[in-house]
Amino acid sequence: MSDFSKPYNAKDHEERMYAKWLESGYFTPENLPNADKREPYTIIMPPPNVTGVLHMGHALMLTLQDIMIRYQRMRGKRALWLPGTDHAAIATQARVEKDLVKEGTSRHDLGREEFLRRVEAFAKKSHDTIISQVKTMGASCDWTREAYTLDEDRSLAVRTMFKKMYDDGLIYRGNRIVNWDPKGQTTISDDEIVYEERAAKLYTFRYSKDFPIPIATTRPETKIGDTGVAVHPDDVRYQEFIGKEYDLEFYGVPLHIKVVADKEVDPAFGTGAVGVTPAHSHTDWEIAERHGLGVTQVIDEQARMMVGDNPLTGQKVADARATIVEWLGSENLLEKEEDIKQNIATAERTGGVIEPMPKLQWFVAVNKEFSLPHSSIEGIASGAKTTLKEIMRRTVESGQIKIIPEHFEKTYFHWIENLRDWCISRQIWYGHRIPVWYCLPCAELDTLGYKPGTGETVVPRSEKLIPISGTETPTTCPKCHSTSLSQDPDTLDTWFSSGMWTFSTLGWPENTQDLKLYHPTNVLETGYEILFFWVARMILMTGYGLGEIPFRTVYLHGTVRDAKGRKMSKSLGNGIDPVDIAKTFGADAGRMALIVGNTPGTDMALSEDKIKGYKHFANKIWNASRFVLTSIENADLSHEPKLTPSDTAALAELRRVAKEVTDDMEQFRFYLAAEKIYHYFWHTFADTILEEAKLTLRGESVEEQLSAKWTLHTILTTSLKLLHPFMPFITETVWEQVPQKNKTILVVEPWPHS
RNA sequence: GCGUCCUUAGCUCAGUGGUAGAGCGUUGCAUUCACAUUGCAAAGGCCGCAGGUUCGAUACCUGCAGGACGCACCA
């Protein structure tokens, strides 16, 4: 009891406790007592990006998962919590490029190899910081299984998956319209776009004096790429023009315009007629596809005009817009100019304004039919035709995967309905390089007939694809036997590898023991903001690759905001550093503050005052424990003594509380469980039971004293167990001092049965 | 446009078909005996508004208002 100093000082104990846990080996499920008899319980940790340091959102995620894992471990499960980190392709690359700019250099100056060395060095450093922070939070994960989304094993998994999907025709290379980020010089997926409202002008004009229909646009410069005009099929104003074709000249550029009827057109907007620019608008692209209109690209990757030898060529789009507007005015073609508000698409990472344009990219087809040889997905039989979209929908619809809170299921379905093919290639260097090689001599065989010189696609035949070193790239072209092969320069969207996380971490494509035992996992715990990015992609990948679900329950937490409800951000400077919190108040206090009152799917406001409150609670636990332990010293508690009626009642209440807390844990109501045990310990145990025991202990009756000591000991030990998932450090520290038969560490103590 | 969520004590939020709870904060009192990182007590709420269902609504339904958010569109 010598280290039982008066106030509880978290920093005197937490580091030592974590070391003690690691030494016990119990975070590795095989080391648990009677491991083979235990039923597996698995959580794969959402891997933090190696872009920097942990924030409060990570702390929340770690706490929730640690609570689940510690609880299940105490419940006798073979609990595996598998940790890892994410290479976060575009985010990490952007971070390092920023540093390079400061040094006055760029990735192109360094070259691909040297640049990747720089990124890897940064990622390594960032990784080490993150791991030490995860440990500070008390996370009881199995470090022997730690994974990285870009390590050897995960690379093999990614290549294997790519090839499998390619062979099934689910991955295709296509010249399609994509979201191009001129600032980041890469494509991005629909989900990586953020919309910003800006003021814009809507111009109403005619292509030429002879053209019968005026059209409205906010982007006159793109009209040079128009190949059609679309009107609503029922619009009486334009019936006579539908199907007609016109040859005309617009700013010196010859245009061939066909008038088509399409229900996408809103007759109430503008003039009710849309100039169709298939190359630079997603909807126009689709209209063009439906009506067989041509595609003319007029904007290049630098967001500059490309119109042959026209003077516009080389102008930035904004300048070109002014030029065109001025010209329209001078030609008397401009009929109206009005101010409107417009949502403009920007890239989440770089802030660049997105220019949709057609590019040759790799896509995952979400609506294409294929069959799963072995399916355990409800509603999709083995061998039956299905699509990736159906897998994503069915697994949730059937209840095989349950989302908490439930209402997010509606949001999820809504998103799936609108899902288009997923563009997975990125023009960046850090990431999984696309495992596809091109044969240069076979260039003319390019099936797409696009961009000569890249050649036909060659995908390696071996079942297991090539390790990342590239030493085993295909040596000859199967068609012409040339050895002149070059790998696709692009890398994969980071969510491609993240989507495989639940099974790539367990050894897939090998049919490992881990995969058999721990998959499907039990819970995926993550933030609701990546429901689409990640959760849906995991369901897609797992359904396709394994014919099963990746997890049974998805628990979605909200965003941790500051005391005023604002998002924590660097620019506001209102962020709370979880490691600072652990140092100042103790990791336990930070954990409790994050959990109590925090319902799933809802954002929470976190203040230092709240954390301070739980620091006080830790102190309360500490002092109450000191009192109990001092009081029961030398008492014979080997057998239950005769209990007084009030002690019997107190123990009955303890059982009731334990039962309620257990029910809450089972129902994922951690916010209630934590609050109940907090309230019980402080206001029932410490304030009432303990105060009454003081009187008894000073009294005459030895029998009553023994009854009181037994009761205090039972309530203390049970409370420590109930509190352990929430406040692992202090409970384990006190536990060291508790006299108990066959005592081991609290990590593997059985949960109080109720 | 489609969709979701929220509106309860000063603040942050729980909650239930039988006229409300927690934490923090506020106010008053208490102090050598586990703990002032404490204890005891108090103040504080027509549970957003209007209808409906019901014996009874904060809770269920409809509408409205305000707020947050997702998706699509924005030609």
Side-chain angles (χ1 to χ4, degrees):
Chain A
M1 296 271 283
S2 54
D3 62 337
F4 255 48
S5 58
K6 222 175 163 187
Y8 175 67
N9 224 329
K11 61 174 180 290
D12 296 344
H13 307 282
E14 294 191 343
E15 205 173 317
R16 183 176 65 84
M17 271 311 133
Y18 199 84
K20 183 173 174 176
W21 291 330
L22 285 184
E23 202 186 325
S24 78
Y26 289 146
F27 293 173
T28 299
E30 288 67 40
N31 297 336
L32 290 167
N34 303 312
D36 291 342
K37 290 184 191 143
R38 290 172 175 240
E39 185 191 329
Y41 186 94
T42 318
I43 297 178
I44 311 289
M45 182 189 294
N49 291 352
V50 288
T51 44
V53 295
L54 291 193
H55 55 247
M56 242 20 205
H58 292 116
L60 173 59
M61 151 196 120
L62 292 169
T63 303
L64 280 164
Q65 289 165 42
D66 198 40
I67 287 169
M68 296 184 213
I69 281 291
R70 284 182 187 269
Y71 168 69
Q72 296 294 347
R73 194 183 287 121
M74 293 173 82
R75 292 279 291 187
K77 299 283 173 59
R78 185 171 175 144
L80 170 63
W81 186 16
L82 195 154
T85 46
D86 192 334
H87 70 287
I90 200 164
T92 310
Q93 167 155 338
R95 177 68 183 70
V96 174
E97 286 196 270
K98 222 171 164 182
D99 287 348
L100 292 182
V101 169
K102 281 182 204 152
E103 293 171 27
T105 177
S106 77
R107 67 161 153 144
H108 299 286
D109 293 338
L110 294 180
R112 190 163 187 146
E113 242 177 81
E114 178 57 25
F115 176 71
L116 285 179
R117 261 198 293 277
R118 287 285 301 257
V119 179
E120 271 153 23
F122 171 84
K124 171 77 170 63
K125 202 173 149 220
S126 181
H127 160 271
D128 294 351
T129 308
I130 286 168
I131 296 307
S132 95
Q133 291 177 313
V134 170
K135 291 177 177 173
T136 304
M137 302 315 300
S140 64
C141 40
D142 181 3
W143 296 107
T144 67
R145 283 179 165 91
E146 190 194 337
Y148 183 51
T149 55
L150 196 56
D151 62 18
E152 289 278 335
D153 292 348
R154 262 47 65 182
S155 294
L156 175 64
V158 163
R159 285 158 184 256
T160 307
M161 179 63 84
F162 188 98
K163 177 173 176 350
K164 187 172 154 62
M165 293 181 107
Y166 181 87
D167 289 345
D168 277 347
L170 292 177
I171 285 183
Y172 65 94
R173 190 171 180 238
N175 187 35
R176 295 198 36 205
I177 189 158
V178 295
N179 306 304
W180 178 259
D181 171 12
K183 206 165 172 185
Q185 287 291 300
T186 182
T187 54
I188 61 171
S189 69
D190 292 345
D191 315 281
E192 290 166 298
I193 288 177
V194 286
Y195 290 94
E196 282 176 26
E197 195 176 89
R198 290 190 193 172
K201 284 202 189 306
L202 183 68
Y203 304 96
T204 304
F205 74 100
R206 286 172 202 263
Y207 295 111
S208 68
K209 291 195 170 64
D210 311 329
F211 195 75
I213 307 172
I215 60 170
T217 183
T218 53
R219 300 200 60 185
E221 75 282 9
T222 65
K223 298 295 103 183
I224 288 174
D226 281 12
T227 57
V229 165
V231 298
H232 194 273
D234 304 331
D235 197 324
V236 291
R237 292 171 291 181
Y238 305 120
Q239 288 298 319
E240 55 178 306
F241 305 113
I242 294 170
K244 287 192 174 155
E245 303 188 28
Y246 300 84
D247 281 294
L248 49 90
E249 201 167 272
F250 184 73
Y251 199 73
V253 181
L255 298 185
H256 182 78
I257 302 286
K258 184 180 179 186
V259 181
V260 298
D262 198 288
K263 57 182 175 7
E264 274 298 298
V265 180
D266 175 4
F269 188 90
T271 61
V274 185
V276 183
T277 323
H280 301 291
S281 151
H282 284 93
T283 33
D284 290 9
W285 175 273
E286 283 162 10
I287 291 174
E289 270 192 336
R290 284 195 285 272
H291 302 281
L293 302 177
V295 177
T296 313
Q297 183 171 351
V298 294
I299 296 172
D300 70 10
E301 294 170 3
Q302 316 300 325
R304 288 172 192 273
M305 302 302 291
M306 45 181 281
V307 210
D309 56 5
N310 190 284
L312 278 178
T313 292
Q315 281 193 26
K316 287 184 194 161
V317 290
D319 298 338
R321 187 174 310 163
T323 307
I324 296 286
V325 169
E326 194 182 325
W327 174 78
L328 285 171
S330 67
E331 296 286 313
N332 275 325
L333 294 169
L334 190 59
E335 299 188 352
K336 204 164 37 165
E337 192 177 320
E338 47 197 317
D339 291 314
I340 59 161
K341 278 193 175 156
Q342 190 185 213
N343 283 331
I344 152 158
T346 63
E348 188 183 33
R349 292 292 173 191
T350 64
V353 175
I354 298 302
E355 283 295 347
M357 62 178 68
K359 289 191 74 74
L360 190 60
Q361 298 290 329
W362 290 95
F363 295 87
V364 170
V366 293
N367 290 312
K368 184 169 175 172
E369 285 197 331
F370 66 97
S371 59
L372 290 173
H374 305 288
S375 167
S376 64
I377 296 170
E378 282 168 30
I380 300 176
S382 300
K385 291 268 183 226
T386 186
T387 65
L388 294 174
K389 205 179 235 187
E390 192 186 10
I391 289 175
M392 287 190 275
R393 189 164 36 77
R394 273 293 171 79
T395 45
V396 176
E397 217 169 51
S398 68
Q400 211 175 356
I401 295 175
K402 195 178 144 210
I403 299 180
I404 299 174
E406 203 179 323
H407 70 78
F408 271 100
E409 291 182 2
K410 285 182 191 165
T411 316
Y412 176 83
F413 293 133
H414 193 250
W415 176 80
I416 287 179
E417 290 317 309
N418 291 309
L419 186 63
R420 290 187 285 212
D421 284 359
W422 171 21
C423 178
I424 52 170
S425 44
R426 296 290 181 273
Q427 290 66 54
I428 59 171
W429 291 343
Y430 192 55
H432 293 279
R433 192 152 170 189
I434 289 175
V436 169
W437 286 260
Y438 302 103
C439 172
L440 300 179
C442 285
E444 69 278 13
L445 298 177
D446 188 325
T447 48
L448 296 153
Y450 187 82
K451 210 172 180 180
T454 48
E456 190 190 11
T457 57
V458 179
V459 174
R461 298 295 170 204
S462 64
E463 206 37 57
K464 279 183 202 166
L465 294 171
I466 294 69
I468 200 156
S469 69
T471 51
E472 288 176 58
T473 49
T475 48
T476 57
C477 170
K479 206 162 254 169
C480 73
H481 305 292
S482 163
T483 53
S484 183
L485 304 177
S486 74
Q487 189 174 2
D488 195 301
D490 289 356
T491 50
L492 288 167
D493 180 7
T494 184
W495 300 103
F496 192 92
S497 54
S498 315
M500 302 170 63
W501 191 237
T502 60
F503 56 91
S504 69
T505 49
L506 293 172
W508 191 88
E510 301 287 346
N511 190 17
T512 58
Q513 194 60 35
D514 268 12
L515 199 57
K516 281 184 246 176
L517 199 57
Y518 296 111
H519 202 276
T521 67
N522 292 78
V523 175
L524 175 77
E525 195 291 313
T526 191
Y528 64 75
E529 73 278 5
I530 54 173
L531 180 62
F532 310 136
F533 276 117
W534 192 37
V535 179
R537 263 66 179 262
M538 288 172 104
I539 296 173
L540 179 160
M541 286 288 192
T542 315
Y544 170 75
L546 281 72
E548 61 187 37
I549 54 170
F551 29 69
R552 298 179 178 94
T553 303
V554 178
Y555 182 102
L556 297 170
H557 64 248
T559 308
V560 184
R561 295 166 177 276
D562 75 0
K564 293 176 184 162
R566 298 172 304 181
K567 270 199 170 169
M568 292 187 182
S569 72
K570 273 183 197 161
S571 51
L572 278 174
N574 60 344
I576 301 179
D577 175 5
V579 174
D580 277 355
I581 292 301
K583 280 186 191 145
T584 315
F585 303 102
D588 287 334
R591 290 168 62 116
M592 278 297 272
L594 282 166
I595 295 305
V596 175
N598 185 4
T599 47
T602 309
D603 293 354
M604 74 170 311
L606 183 69
S607 62
E608 278 210 358
D609 275 349
K610 186 173 182 187
I611 302 167
K612 204 159 85 186
Y614 292 102
K615 185 193 165 162
H616 296 175
F617 179 52
N619 196 52
K620 178 58 84 172
I621 295 172
W622 187 250
N623 283 302
S625 301
R626 283 172 58 215
F627 175 77
V628 172
L629 293 173
T630 322
S631 305
I632 63 175
E633 252 176 335
N634 307 320
D636 175 17
L637 298 175
S638 56
H639 303 94
E640 181 174 319
K642 185 173 185 298
L643 296 174
T644 63
S646 71
D647 284 338
T648 305
L651 291 176
E653 178 163 21
L654 174 70
R655 280 192 295 276
R656 212 200 67 233
V657 170
K659 168 93 170 61
E660 279 182 25
V661 169
T662 305
D663 287 347
D664 288 336
M665 298 297 276
E666 291 293 324
Q667 301 299 316
F668 296 90
R669 294 186 300 242
F670 309 113
Y671 59 101
L672 281 183
E675 194 182 323
K676 266 177 202 156
I677 182 66
Y678 167 90
H679 197 267
Y680 172 78
F681 191 93
W682 199 319
H683 301 295
T684 303
F685 181 46
D687 289 350
T688 310
I689 297 170
L690 214 141
E691 289 303 325
E692 282 165 10
K694 279 182 188 171
L695 302 176
T696 312
L697 291 174
R698 274 186 236 127
E700 302 284 301
S701 165
V702 176
E703 199 172 83
E704 284 182 11
Q705 284 178 15
L706 195 56
S707 172
K709 286 175 184 178
W710 174 270
T711 304
L712 292 179
H713 177 262
T714 306
I715 295 180
L716 178 65
T717 53
T718 305
S719 298
L720 289 175
K721 291 175 190 175
L722 294 174
L723 277 165
H724 183 255
F726 302 94
M727 307 181 79
F729 290 108
I730 187 170
T731 50
E732 189 76 79
T733 308
V734 173
W735 188 255
E736 282 187 331
Q737 309 291 332
V738 173
Q740 177 89 342
K741 269 189 297 184
N742 309 319
K743 196 174 76 170
T744 172
I745 63 175
L746 203 42
V747 167
V748 288
E749 273 293 321
W751 184 257
H753 37 261
S754 37

